[in-house]
Amino acid sequence: MTLEARLAALAAAGQTITYGKLARDLGLRMEELTNALERLMEEDAAAGRPFRAAVLRQRLSPEGLPAPGFFLKAAILGRPAQDPLAFTRAERHALLPFPNIPG
C-alpha cells in the first residue's frame, strides 16, 4: 500500500496513526517518511486541500497531535496553527469523506 492510499484509508475511517507505526508498516525509515509527508503537505497546500498528514500523531501526545514539524511546515505553507488542537481537528474533519453530514 502506498503512503497516499494508507493516509486516505485512515482519513476515511476517522483514524490516526503514529509516525513510527506508519513507517514500519510501509517499510520506510523515519527520514523517508518525514520527507514524503512534507511533499504531500506541499501538494495539499498547492491544491487547497486539507493536509493528509494531519492523521498522524505523536506517540506520547495526550491530545493525539501531530509532531511539531507538521505545524512548522503548515506555517511555512501559509497555514499557521494558532491553536494546534483546533487546527488538527479541523484538518482531520475536512479529510472525512462527507464532513458536512452530521454523524
Side-chain angles (χ1 to χ4, degrees):
M1 180 177 284
T2 67
L3 173 60
E4 293 87 345
R6 185 66 190 277
L7 295 178
L10 289 163
Q15 297 175 338
T16 61
I17 192 169
T18 63
Y19 292 87
K21 173 133 177 55
L22 183 60
R24 284 189 302 277
D25 289 353
L26 297 176
L28 299 173
R29 294 187 334 261
M30 194 60 69
E31 180 182 3
E32 293 171 321
L33 177 62
T34 300
N35 290 337
L37 290 169
E38 287 188 357
R39 281 192 303 275
L40 287 179
M41 288 181 74
E42 291 165 1
E43 290 174 15
D44 292 340
R49 293 187 302 249
F51 292 128
R52 291 172 279 181
V55 301
L56 281 103
R57 68 178 189 285
Q58 294 183 81
R59 185 173 57 88
L60 299 177
S61 171
E63 297 91 11
L65 293 175
F70 169 82
F71 300 105
L72 291 173
K73 186 66 175 182
I76 289 168
L77 294 171
R79 291 168 56 186
Q82 302 302 324
D83 179 343
L85 183 58
F87 181 81
T88 302
R89 285 180 177 163
E91 292 294 304
R92 289 175 179 168
H93 182 74
L95 288 168
L96 294 171
F98 304 102
N100 298 320
I101 299 173

